[in-house]
Amino acid sequence: METVGFIGLGVMGQPMALNLARAGVPLVVWNRTESRCDPVVTAGAQRAADPAEVFRRADVVLLMLADEPAVDAILARRTPRFASMIRGRTLVQMGTLGASYSRGLAVDVTAAGGGYVEAPVSGSRGPAEKGELIAILAGQPGDVERVRPLLQPMCANSFRCGDVPSALEMKFAVNLFLITLVTGLAESFHFAEEHGLDPATLRQILDAGPMASAVSRAKIAKLVDADFEVQAAIADVLKNNQLIADAADDRGAASPLTDACLALYRETLELGHARADMAAVVHALRSRTRSRSRTRTRTRAQDRAGRTGNHATAADQTAGVNP
């Protein structure tokens, strides 16, 4: 079995790497915060001293990193070290990054003599822990088929979408549905609480109805219990939402729901909930409601003051013509 490298053991990466190690895959891991490697090493992986060691020891290297600068830094991109790290290896980029960035990275990896596969995953921490993610793949057919068996301990299924960056674009389409679904659910919950309805009953009705899904059941439970322990963090959802909005704008595609969600997740982040679960978007809705309530109170006060002033003026005028 080929040796696999895994770099980036964050909220998603750590359980993904754990599943590989527990499946007996020969695994070499590295993470900037070294302690994140400990559970994976305990499960059977080997720890590398730095990213370069991962590439020296592995045939296929999986990256689960937060953003483009992190990827460039790990790969020493645009330096002489990049080609020596990449040559003869297959790089599997599993993070959600910009489509145009991925296209450019694929060109550089191929030019350096390596293989490149886009493999963003659909799912949050829960499915990652259970090995139930969905892999979305793009790249040369030979590279994709080489990588696909290695993903099985982490993913319940995988789908090839064509050439780079079609996997990321497909991931954006999937995430668009997820983000609008959860935001709509949060607004439904907020509407119910503003009308004094029992949230537990709302949960029972939604869970029993035709719109129920694994996502809706998980998120309505979080809303009812005010449990915002992270599965998919607000900061990460905002980044994904922005990528979707940018991709839509690049094609001139209408995206009214994307744009509305983008504003709400940005407001949630500004309210201090960056590392809370995406269900915490309900805080932005509550904040807007409080702001609207204050505006209505001021408007009503101004209206009352205006009516009082008008009555006084009318009385004065009446007094003037009837001494």
Side-chain angles (χ1 to χ4, degrees):
M1 187 180 295
E2 292 182 307
T3 299
V4 175
F6 202 113
I7 298 176
L9 304 178
V11 170
M12 293 288 290
Q14 188 188 70
M16 292 166 67
L18 271 169
N19 285 329
L20 287 173
R22 289 166 179 164
V25 174
L27 189 65
V28 182
V29 298
W30 184 86
N31 191 71
R32 191 177 302 278
T33 302
E34 188 177 354
S35 61
R36 298 288 297 177
C37 297
D38 293 346
V40 190
V41 171
T42 300
Q46 298 182 46
R47 190 193 314 260
D50 54 35
E53 183 181 349
V54 175
F55 279 89
R56 284 196 301 271
R57 297 173 61 182
D59 306 295
V60 177
V61 178
L62 314 182
L63 300 184
M64 191 63 177
L65 299 169
D67 53 33
E68 290 91 341
V71 173
D72 285 346
I74 291 297
L75 298 179
R77 197 174 175 201
R78 302 183 183 90
T79 76
R81 288 186 295 141
F82 174 79
S84 62
M85 289 172 63
I86 292 296
R87 188 176 300 112
R89 294 164 180 83
T90 300
L91 182 68
V92 185
Q93 200 300 104
M94 304 192 75
T96 304
L97 309 177
S100 60
Y101 171 87
S102 184
R103 184 188 293 110
L105 181 59
V107 170
D108 288 353
V109 169
T110 302
Y116 182 79
V117 175
E118 268 183 356
V121 292
S122 178
S124 58
R125 190 180 70 179
E129 291 172 344
K130 297 174 184 176
E132 295 176 352
L133 296 169
I134 303 299
I136 307 171
L137 308 175
Q140 293 299 310
D143 293 330
V144 169
E145 293 311 312
R146 179 186 186 187
V147 165
R148 197 191 293 266
L150 300 176
L151 304 180
Q152 290 178 356
M154 301 180 290
C155 302
N157 212 334
S158 63
F159 299 88
R160 182 172 182 265
C161 297
D163 297 331
V164 175
S166 60
L168 278 165
E169 291 169 340
M170 186 66 78
K171 173 70 185 295
F172 296 160
V174 171
N175 277 6
L176 195 161
F177 178 54
L178 170 66
I179 292 168
T180 54
L181 171 67
V182 175
T183 308
L185 182 64
E187 186 170 338
S188 172
F189 175 83
H190 179 58
F191 178 91
E193 70 179 358
E194 286 297 312
H195 287 78
L197 303 175
D198 178 26
T201 303
L202 173 66
R203 175 183 178 178
Q204 291 172 345
I205 293 169
L206 291 176
D207 285 354
M211 298 176 293
S213 66
V215 170
S216 73
R217 290 191 174 101
K219 299 308 181 186
I220 192 63
K222 283 186 166 295
L223 289 163
V224 170
D225 297 337
D227 166 25
F228 300 114
E229 182 181 357
V230 66
Q231 292 286 330
I234 288 289
D236 296 331
V237 174
L238 177 60
K239 184 199 83 168
N240 277 260
N241 202 329
Q242 186 65 65
L243 289 171
I244 296 165
D246 292 345
D249 188 60
D250 286 345
R251 294 297 179 96
S255 56
L257 296 180
T258 292
D259 297 341
C261 292
L262 184 63
L264 285 166
Y265 283 94
R266 185 178 293 117
E267 290 169 29
T268 309
L269 182 112
E270 291 168 354
L271 288 168
H273 303 289
R275 300 316 305 169
D277 186 76
M278 66 186 299
V281 71
V282 72
H283 292 304
L285 296 165
R286 289 168 175 161
S287 178
R288 288 193 184 190
T289 295
R290 290 192 296 270
S291 178
R292 179 177 292 185
S293 178
R294 288 192 294 268
T295 300
R296 286 179 175 175
T297 299
R298 286 195 300 269
T299 300
R300 287 168 181 166
Q302 291 165 357
D303 288 345
R304 284 195 297 271
R307 287 195 296 271
T308 301
N310 290 338
H311 291 158
T313 301
D316 290 344
Q317 290 173 346
T318 300
V321 295
N322 296 296

